[in-house]
Amino acid sequence: MSATTTTKLPKDFIWGFATASFQIEGATDVDGRGKSIWDDFSKIPGKTLDGRDGDVATDSYNRWREDLDLLTQYGVKSYRFSLSWSRIIPLGGRNDPVNEAGIKFYSDLIDALLERGITPFVTLYHWDLPQALHDRYLGWLNKEEIVQDYVRYARVCFERFGDRVKHWLTMNEPWCISILGYGRGVFAPGRSSDRLRSTEGDSSREPWIAGHSVILAHAYAAKAYREEFKEKQGGQIGITLNGDWAMPYDDSPANIEAAQHALDVAIGWFADPIYLGSYPAFMKQMLGDRLPEFTPEELAVVKGSSEFYGMNTYTTNLCKAGGDDEFQGHVEYTFTRPDGTQLGEQAHCAWLQDYAPGFRDLLNYLYKRYRKPIYVTENGFAVKDENTMPLEQALKDDARVHYYAGVTDALLNAVNEDGVDVRAYFGWSLLDNFEWADGYVTRFGVTYVDYDTQKRYPKDSGKFLSKWFKEHIPESETPKAATTNVIVEAAKPKPIVATSVTGKSPVVERLHIEQVSRDGAPKKKRKAPFARFTAYVSAFLGL
Ligand code: PNW
């Protein structure tokens, strides 16, 4: 194999940008849409940092054609977006009517994407539960009701869009749904034991119940798809999980164990039952009878219910054993190394620093443990203070370019050096948008949105990714629409300097072994030292 091919991604590699309905659509009370749990929650004083809500967001319900123009300019192959359940079924339930105007909105969007040669990658649930289902029976806390209602909603989507949509994600980030919505109470519906935050909720029990329902709803919807639709529609279905890399703070056995516990709760809680067939032993030990159990029939539906691993990741946490936070597995997170240095550049939000080696380690860990093709469905960075910068300065988003330069390099190495089967990469996000409890203060977009005018301006990071993927996916597969109008003038990344690590993470070994080709047959290890050298030089020069 020649050097040029090994430094590239497979020709059918999918790349693009991601968004979510409530974060971009606005237009919350038009065309028959029912309320979601975020509608009123975001209006309660104190729930969002800037006190702003999702009523307008990036106005994408009205400006979606302009958004698709942007996607075309960036030359993406795919667009990941989510459907608003309460636009499609305003009251949400299995006996409630379907709203044809909601169906038409998404149907037109899907058609327009396909006309442009862009593959729709559709999330069914990105946190905007119909408010009526929360009012009726407390949403995810009521397994019997929510699973049936969600499966009916999913079925409507498969029936109405499945002729054109071939990539389905059932749920976005169950950990966030459960912990942030029912434990910490910072996301809708905002339930928590903290009575200063919420009058209702039990943070010791509800998150684990909600998570259990999310797993089952995902699994029964995937079963319906595979039994009733997959054969004639020919698509794929899976779940997408959040999870950041966990690195031991130092070499002490307690901290090495802590890093695994952090992964068990952040990722294994969902991935272990879905891919391996049981909750992690550590979670059973930590929670005892507060962790719900699957019946044997349920488990048979859950195990093997996701056809790929959907990975959302943003950062790496240094892990120290201790503390009483069950949501992190009794582990304390820090970005400060024992020598006092920072792991990487700090983002606008406290929980995120730029550390690309962790991205490669996480890919290796997930592939080794779960043995599924990986779709990176979200990854991105929020530049510190971007919200207060003048436009010209915000567009020169060097810190975000550095983040994406590091991550794309790590991606290439994971694929070509380590043999991890990664099939897709989506940057978060196409646009600055409603960043949940952060309101509009934290900007994750590769495109700047001026919220006064709703004008969109590509940032350097968007141009960087556009150029990088154009160069790293063999030409023949680039869709026509994407080749004609690509933004070519890309920003040059700063050189990627390897940050010193406090010792190799013991919970991951890079694969370097047992490489398996896409059809499952063992293949020879691809190793091209020259390719690695040229890739490094290219990255260094920003080519
Ligand atoms: C993800 N954390 O959320 C979501 O899927 C997106 O909707 C969101 O805009 C994006 O990441 C950026 O935040 C997360 O606290 C929210 O670790 C919070 C965390 C992680 C992911």
Side-chain angles (χ1 to χ4, degrees):
M1 207 177 266
S2 79
T4 41
T5 53
T6 49
T7 56
K8 293 201 173 193
L9 294 166
K11 66 179 184 327
D12 53 356
F13 194 88
I14 295 171
W15 89 276
F17 295 111
T19 62
S21 47
F22 194 78
Q23 294 182 272
I24 65 163
E25 287 177 2
T28 46
D29 65 352
V30 304
D31 295 343
R33 176 185 178 277
K35 275 187 184 178
S36 83
I37 52 172
W38 272 93
D39 287 43
D40 290 346
F41 181 80
S42 63
K43 292 188 170 64
I44 301 172
K47 297 301 183 195
T48 61
L49 272 183
D50 52 5
R52 295 169 66 194
D53 57 40
D55 281 0
V56 179
T58 62
D59 194 30
S60 290
Y61 189 76
N62 298 308
R63 294 170 195 263
W64 61 270
R65 286 186 182 81
E66 201 183 317
D67 294 346
L68 300 204
D69 289 346
L70 265 173
L71 289 167
T72 301
Q73 281 180 48
Y74 286 129
V76 303
K77 292 188 167 203
S78 182
Y79 176 45
R80 176 182 172 225
F81 61 98
S82 81
L83 308 178
S84 156
W85 184 344
S86 63
R87 264 192 213 290
I88 292 171
I89 306 169
L91 295 174
R94 57 197 177 279
N95 298 312
D96 295 321
V98 170
N99 174 29
E100 287 302 324
I103 298 277
K104 183 174 184 320
F105 172 70
Y106 292 115
S107 198
D108 290 350
L109 176 68
I110 291 162
D111 284 344
L113 282 167
L114 293 171
E115 278 162 23
R116 290 160 183 267
I118 299 171
T119 303
F121 215 104
V122 177
T123 314
L124 290 170
Y125 185 77
H126 199 126
W127 307 353
D128 43 358
L129 183 77
Q131 178 69 45
L133 301 186
H134 181 78
D135 296 344
R136 248 177 228 170
Y137 55 73
L138 292 181
W140 295 111
L141 295 179
N142 188 327
K143 179 180 99 172
E144 305 306 327
E145 295 291 335
I146 194 78
V147 172
Q148 294 185 62
D149 285 349
Y150 177 84
V151 172
R152 188 278 187 132
Y153 159 60
R155 224 182 232 119
V156 169
C157 297
F158 303 146
E159 276 163 7
R160 306 300 291 271
F161 311 125
D163 54 337
R164 290 155 292 157
V165 172
K166 307 300 167 193
H167 298 272
W168 293 103
L169 293 170
T170 51
M171 301 283 175
N172 182 70
E173 303 190 346
W175 184 95
C176 288
I177 298 170
S178 315
I179 298 299
L180 303 181
Y182 298 84
R184 301 210 197 285
V186 292
F187 282 8
R191 294 174 66 87
S192 168
S193 293
D194 178 354
R195 289 289 164 262
L196 294 174
R197 192 172 276 288
S198 172
T199 55
E200 287 172 36
D202 177 353
S203 303
S204 72
R205 291 182 182 273
E206 290 186 2
W208 320 112
I209 295 168
H212 198 72
S213 302
V214 170
I215 293 171
L216 287 166
H218 145 79
Y220 280 93
K223 176 177 154 68
Y225 183 74
R226 290 159 96 179
E227 288 178 1
E228 299 161 38
F229 301 92
K230 189 177 167 73
E231 202 182 328
K232 63 175 184 293
Q233 297 183 345
Q236 297 177 8
I237 192 160
I239 191 165
T240 206
L241 307 178
N242 57 298
D244 294 325
W245 182 234
M247 203 155 71
Y249 178 69
D250 57 22
D251 288 340
S252 79
N255 291 339
I256 291 168
E257 196 181 36
Q260 184 59 53
H261 291 167
L263 292 171
D264 286 345
V265 179
I267 294 173
W269 175 9
F270 303 98
D272 281 18
I274 288 170
Y275 300 104
L276 308 177
S278 68
Y279 279 130
F282 171 70
M283 288 195 63
K284 294 184 195 166
Q285 177 213 316
M286 179 176 77
L287 299 172
D289 65 4
R290 288 182 290 134
L291 185 67
E293 282 179 25
F294 296 109
T295 65
E297 302 81 68
E298 288 172 344
L299 202 54
V301 176
V302 168
K303 188 179 180 187
S305 56
S306 185
E307 299 176 353
F308 50 82
Y309 189 99
M311 162 174 152
N312 286 1
T313 196
Y314 287 85
T315 197
T316 293
N317 293 300
L318 291 171
C319 296
K320 276 189 211 175
D324 56 5
D325 188 348
E326 291 184 336
F327 308 152
Q328 292 176 188
H330 295 156
V331 174
E332 287 168 357
Y333 290 172
T334 179
F335 290 128
T336 307
R337 295 191 184 87
D339 67 6
T341 59
Q342 292 295 289
L343 195 61
E345 170 124 8
Q346 179 62 49
H348 195 79
C349 37
W351 54 270
L352 171 52
Q353 285 196 355
D354 175 357
Y355 185 69
F359 182 87
R360 181 172 174 181
D361 284 343
L362 180 64
L363 283 171
N364 275 271
Y365 171 83
L366 294 175
Y367 191 52
K368 198 170 176 193
R369 186 172 174 99
Y370 300 115
R371 285 276 152 205
K372 285 283 175 191
I374 296 173
Y375 293 77
V376 180
T377 43
E378 268 181 42
N379 178 243
F381 190 77
V383 177
K384 201 160 175 37
D385 298 326
E386 202 173 86
N387 58 320
T388 53
M389 289 176 190
L391 175 66
E392 308 71 52
Q393 194 187 344
L395 300 185
K396 294 193 178 13
D397 56 340
D398 292 351
R400 190 179 283 103
V401 172
H402 181 272
Y403 179 94
Y404 279 128
V407 158
T408 46
D409 188 57
L411 168 72
L412 204 58
N413 286 328
V415 171
N416 287 321
E417 298 289 318
D418 309 338
V420 180
D421 183 1
V422 190
R423 301 196 184 176
Y425 178 91
F426 291 89
W428 182 270
S429 174
L430 173 65
L431 304 165
D432 292 333
N433 58 42
F434 176 73
E435 179 51 29
W436 308 110
D438 283 14
Y440 297 89
V441 170
T442 303
R443 292 174 176 262
F444 271 94
V446 297
T447 310
Y448 186 90
V449 176
D450 176 336
Y451 291 112
D452 294 330
T453 61
Q454 291 293 351
K455 273 196 76 167
R456 280 92 157 117
Y457 303 87
K459 299 179 193 174
D460 283 354
S461 57
K463 299 175 187 177
F464 169 77
L465 285 175
S466 172
K467 184 165 184 277
W468 193 90
F469 280 102
K470 191 174 190 303
E471 289 171 353
H472 289 86
I473 302 175
E475 192 68 26
S476 61
E477 293 294 309
T478 311
K480 271 205 191 84
T483 47
T484 49
N485 210 3
V486 174
I487 296 173
V488 278
E489 189 214 326
K492 293 211 191 305
K494 287 191 199 136
I496 302 156
V497 183
T499 0
S500 64
V501 185
T502 56
K504 188 168 160 348
S505 172
V507 282
V508 74
E509 290 158 41
R510 297 243 162 82
L511 285 170
H512 293 303
I513 38 153
E514 326 153 51
Q515 300 207 9
V516 176
S517 74
R518 281 167 183 242
D519 52 16
K523 65 178 178 189
K524 273 201 183 151
K525 188 180 166 211
R526 285 174 287 170
K527 210 170 181 198
F530 180 68
R532 259 181 293 151
F533 175 70
T534 48
Y536 176 77
V537 170
S538 310
F540 191 87
L541 296 175
L543 296 172

